[in-house]
Amino acid sequence: MAWFGKRQYTVLPATKKRDIPDGLWTKCPGCGEIIYNKNLNKNLSVCPKCRFHNRISVQERIAQLVVKNTFVEYDKNMQSVDPLNFKAYKNYKDKIAQEQKKTGLKEAAVYGEGDIGSFHVSIALTDYRFIMGSMGSVVGEKVTRAIELAIDKKIPFISVSASGGGARMYEGIFSLMQMAKTSAAVARLSDEKIPFISVITDPTGGGVSASFAFQADVIVAEPRALITFAGPRVIEQTIHQKLPEGFQRSEFLLEHGMIDMIVDRSELKQKLVDLIGHFDSYSK
Amino acid sequence: MAVNGLEFEKPIIELEKRIKELKAFASTENIDFSDEIKILEKKVVESKKRAHRNLTAWQRMQIARHPDRPYTLDYINALTKNFIELRGDRAFADDQAIIGGFASFQDKTVMVIGHQKGRNTKENITRNFGMPHPEGYRKMLRLMKMAEKFSIPVIAFIDTPGAYPGIGAEERGQAEAIARNLKEMAHLQVPMIVVITGEGGSGGALAIGLGNKVFMLENAVYFVCTPEACGAILWKDRTKAPEAAKALCITASDLKKFEIIDTIIPEPVGGAHRNPNKTAENIKNTLKTCLIELAKLSPEEIINQRYEKYRKMGKFLEK
Ligand SMILES: [Zn+2]
């Protein structure tokens, strides 16, 4: 197909960028214990004492899930423009420049193809560090192209979302329309009977949860991830009451039938391999 | 009917009041004021036109939220015959914030769906201010899939501040319900025509809004988040809503320029609430032409047309 020819094949650099502050140790937000960073790194940024899952960057996620040196990133340089010429407290253009510098990413989503276990997959990931991983035109386009890649190559599609804000307010209606665009792509993927597994991580909300993240055949969440349509603050302001403990966390969603399973980060890769294996069982 | 005035309409309403008084005075006292009345009436028309040509995004939002603005049921009654409401999601409840059913439009059956706001406090408790819960979206999906099964076109009227943010809504999967509708609408085999009549409130609007054609009334607004919320987040000040409304580009003319909507349906001078019948007439003409045009397409063409429409949306730079 036409769009495929223009792709730039670049390998994602293995960066050491982490959310864990530089230094020797970190205080665990889950249990308050002091954890040595080396120990945390060894444990996929999960607290070895209480299993608190620290948020991780897309680079770390790829390193954890995808077989080394098999990941090929596409459209790495795709960038946001400022379609509304948005000027607020902060201008959108300045905001983007600032986020790019902070994260070393051009935008909040990365997509490409690579191997998970012995399976070749198309994978799209969002990074909470870049304007909360919110879905503007670039995120929407990259997720859509990742789905089209899966259709094109007849390989499973995996999404890993960490998009707290959901929508990219600075892009106004264009942000909203990314929900429509990605959904239309998922509909085609579904018509082609290509498996789609959505991994939802902390935090995922609004525009992303109400589109591709909840449209998968199987939905997997990491423990205690905040997964919302409306954020807790918006709800509290609307109903004027305190929200119950554990509200909108993975465990709450599992109990209410919204996700298939909660998987510890240490078991995530194997779980994906096993799931794809089941989908693949009769395909030959 | 008493028409509630907005701040920028006050001088016009004042003039209209004076005309009324003059007319009453003329008839009781039997004096001929017809020349004076004619001049005043001309002045009213002119100032209305002037006021409405240069409305700000925030002013249009006020018109879109006007308590006298026609709502979905008003349009259904004005545009169709034999409306039979179909209720419930067959799983949890019937959400009265969003309604739908069979109706006859130009002597042919259509499935009409849409958000429904209330006219007063009592109605708004029932209608939840037009803010649906997941069961509302699941009811809509049920009706759209039924329409598809019997080759009936779907007409959706959009008018909601947004999907309801509450405990029950989250428990029952607001995100999942909207996500499912988006995916299913994307490959619906029948024509889907969308008219944004008032507020197009984010995902809660889009959840019934993936149309082959999307029309928007002149003073309707469509936004990714309410100007109030946007002001609170990006300006850290809720009272910056008018600025946020402008920055978010929420008006019909903005969205036409961005090619997000297909056509702007004109409203009578002063807004839809000043002449609901004329507004309905304008919508009718647009729908009529559109249905004829879409009827020529095969189910596959319907799906492809919709796909291509949304596939193009988004602005970015590729290097
Ligand atoms: Zn811990």
Side-chain angles (χ1 to χ4, degrees):
Chain A
M1 288 180 197
W3 66 79
F4 198 59
K6 285 185 289 187
R7 288 250 161 72
Q8 286 182 10
Y9 287 70
T10 46
V11 177
L12 194 75
T15 69
K16 285 247 155 63
K17 214 160 204 138
R18 281 163 205 276
D19 200 35
I20 302 162
D22 294 333
L24 212 51
W25 57 71
T26 308
K27 193 177 173 196
C28 172
C31 63
E33 293 271 337
I34 301 295
I35 314 288
Y36 284 104
N37 285 348
K38 274 200 175 148
N39 197 11
L40 206 50
N41 292 349
K42 206 174 70 193
N43 283 286
L44 312 171
S45 298
V46 177
C47 172
K49 297 233 164 69
C50 73
R51 304 308 298 161
F52 180 86
H53 284 53
N54 286 284
R55 296 172 179 178
I56 56 171
S57 67
V58 288
Q59 293 97 328
E60 269 183 290
R61 182 70 69 180
I62 291 165
Q64 290 179 12
L65 292 180
V66 183
V67 178
K68 212 175 166 193
N69 297 327
T70 65
F71 184 71
V72 181
E73 187 188 2
Y74 297 127
D75 303 318
K76 184 182 164 61
N77 291 320
M78 191 189 290
Q79 282 203 64
S80 287
V81 290
D82 184 7
L84 311 185
N85 194 16
F86 201 100
K87 288 183 177 60
Y89 188 70
K90 239 182 218 133
N91 295 340
Y92 187 35
K93 281 201 179 93
D94 299 341
K95 181 81 180 164
I96 291 171
Q98 184 193 328
E99 299 289 295
Q100 287 178 335
K101 213 172 144 207
K102 187 179 85 187
T103 61
L105 297 170
K106 283 271 189 287
E107 248 293 336
V110 165
Y111 89 100
E113 56 185 298
D115 295 344
I116 294 184
S118 58
F119 295 106
H120 195 62
V121 302
S122 166
I123 182 167
L125 313 95
T126 58
D127 193 315
Y128 72 97
R129 296 172 307 160
F130 198 107
I131 319 188
M132 282 307 278
S134 54
M135 181 157 65
S137 297
V138 174
V139 174
E141 184 67 22
K142 283 190 168 183
V143 170
T144 302
R145 289 188 186 185
I147 294 167
E148 288 169 343
L149 177 69
I151 295 171
D152 211 27
K153 297 203 160 183
K154 299 196 188 321
I155 51 178
F157 173 58
I158 314 288
S159 72
V160 183
S161 56
S163 295
R168 181 79 56 92
M169 248 177 273
Y170 299 93
E171 292 190 26
I173 201 76
F174 288 106
S175 171
L176 188 67
M177 291 306 136
Q178 303 313 305
M179 292 171 67
K181 186 165 79 183
T182 54
S183 298
V186 174
R188 282 206 166 170
L189 187 75
S190 176
D191 290 341
E192 296 291 328
K193 300 196 193 318
I194 291 170
F196 171 17
I197 302 167
S198 168
V199 179
I200 305 183
T201 75
D202 187 57
T204 294
V208 167
S209 63
S211 63
F212 67 90
F214 267 106
Q215 290 165 343
D217 297 299
V218 174
I219 303 174
V220 178
E222 284 199 329
R224 279 182 276 180
L226 183 70
I227 307 167
T228 67
F229 171 69
R233 235 179 320 155
V234 176
I235 296 172
E236 275 182 347
Q237 280 163 9
T238 309
I239 64 173
H240 305 292
Q241 64 188 74
K242 269 258 164 259
L243 297 170
E245 181 63 29
F247 182 62
Q248 298 180 310
R249 297 283 165 184
S250 307
E251 296 71 17
F252 175 92
L253 273 90
L254 184 69
E255 193 185 317
H256 285 91
M258 292 304 145
I259 57 176
D260 289 286
M261 65 194 86
I262 297 172
V263 178
D264 193 278
R265 195 173 289 161
S266 62
E267 293 161 9
L268 183 58
K269 184 172 67 184
Q270 190 54 47
K271 191 65 81 183
L272 291 176
V273 171
D274 292 346
L275 281 168
I276 299 167
H278 284 303
F279 282 120
D280 200 45
S281 180
Y282 288 92
S283 73
K284 307 250 153 63
Chain B
M1 184 179 70
V3 173
N4 286 312
L6 299 166
E7 199 50 44
F8 61 92
E9 292 183 310
K10 290 252 162 80
I12 300 164
I13 290 162
E14 196 55 44
L15 263 177
E16 283 179 328
K17 221 170 95 192
R18 270 171 56 200
I19 295 169
K20 222 169 147 191
E21 281 165 6
L22 201 58
K23 277 180 177 167
F25 186 74
S27 74
T28 50
E29 300 293 315
N30 218 355
I31 309 170
D32 182 20
F33 278 123
S34 55
D35 286 347
E36 287 84 349
I37 288 170
K38 223 178 263 166
I39 292 166
L40 280 174
E41 278 175 338
K42 213 175 139 197
K43 217 172 145 188
V44 166
V45 173
E46 275 166 12
S47 31
K48 269 186 189 170
K49 276 189 184 155
R50 202 175 328 116
H52 280 264
R53 230 184 344 251
N54 300 314
L55 288 178
T56 65
W58 184 242
Q59 284 169 333
R60 289 201 195 273
M61 182 127 206
Q62 303 310 305
I63 298 178
R65 286 174 173 172
H66 199 290
D68 295 326
R69 196 168 173 84
Y71 296 147
T72 296
L73 273 172
D74 301 313
Y75 290 123
I76 291 174
N77 289 332
L79 295 170
T80 72
K81 290 193 183 108
N82 309 320
F83 174 57
I84 303 175
E85 189 181 352
L86 303 169
R87 296 176 62 168
D89 70 339
R90 300 293 190 269
F92 181 77
D94 180 47
D95 186 347
Q96 281 290 291
I98 193 162
I99 57 161
F102 294 120
S104 305
F105 178 77
Q106 305 283 301
D107 297 324
K108 292 282 262 184
T109 293
V110 290
M111 185 67 80
V112 283
I113 59 175
H115 306 90
Q116 181 63 40
K117 290 179 176 175
R119 214 39 93 194
N120 51 47
T121 311
K122 191 169 163 258
E123 272 182 31
N124 263 322
I125 291 167
T126 311
R127 301 294 184 187
N128 198 32
F129 300 89
M131 301 170 86
H133 280 73
E135 48 273 22
Y137 292 116
R138 290 176 182 134
K139 170 171 68 174
M140 293 299 101
L141 182 60
R142 182 172 78 82
L143 301 191
M144 287 189 274
K145 295 300 282 182
M146 186 180 2
E148 179 179 54
K149 184 172 162 186
F150 298 103
S151 306
I152 299 167
V154 180
I155 298 173
F157 295 103
I158 288 184
D159 188 12
T160 179
Y164 188 67
I167 292 179
E170 294 287 320
E171 278 176 345
R172 300 195 289 278
Q174 191 71 287
E176 193 279 340
I178 294 172
R180 182 178 296 271
N181 279 17
L182 293 178
K183 183 183 149 202
E184 292 304 325
M185 270 185 289
H187 54 188
L188 202 69
Q189 293 183 21
V190 288
M192 173 98 189
I193 305 170
V194 176
V195 187
I196 301 158
T197 59
E199 287 182 272
S202 197
L206 189 63
I208 57 164
L210 228 90
N212 288 82
K213 294 282 171 197
V214 179
F215 304 117
M216 202 163 160
L217 280 179
E218 193 182 338
N219 292 308
V221 287
Y222 198 4
F223 44 85
V224 70
C225 85
T226 63
E228 287 89 346
C230 181
I233 296 166
L234 295 186
W235 277 263
K236 315 202 187 299
D237 182 358
R238 267 187 102 74
T239 65
K240 294 285 183 199
E243 284 88 338
K246 181 167 184 271
L248 284 168
C249 300
I250 61 175
T251 66
S253 59
D254 289 327
L255 301 190
K256 172 72 186 159
K257 189 179 75 194
F258 293 148
E259 297 179 321
I260 300 294
I261 61 159
D262 294 282
T263 308
I264 301 172
I265 301 176
E267 289 182 33
V269 175
H273 58 286
R274 294 200 167 258
N275 194 343
N277 289 334
K278 179 73 185 123
T279 310
E281 183 71 26
N282 293 349
I283 294 177
K284 187 176 90 183
N285 293 333
T286 306
L287 289 180
K288 220 164 84 180
T289 324
C290 183
L291 275 167
I292 293 168
E293 189 194 314
L294 291 177
K296 293 175 194 155
L297 303 181
S298 70
E300 201 190 340
E301 286 168 328
I302 288 285
I303 294 171
N304 287 340
Q305 188 205 55
R306 205 183 293 120
Y307 189 87
E308 293 311 322
K309 179 187 180 73
Y310 289 95
R311 182 64 189 87
K312 288 197 305 256
M313 290 187 188
K315 298 256 185 258
F316 49 86
L317 201 72
E318 275 187 280
K319 270 191 276 193

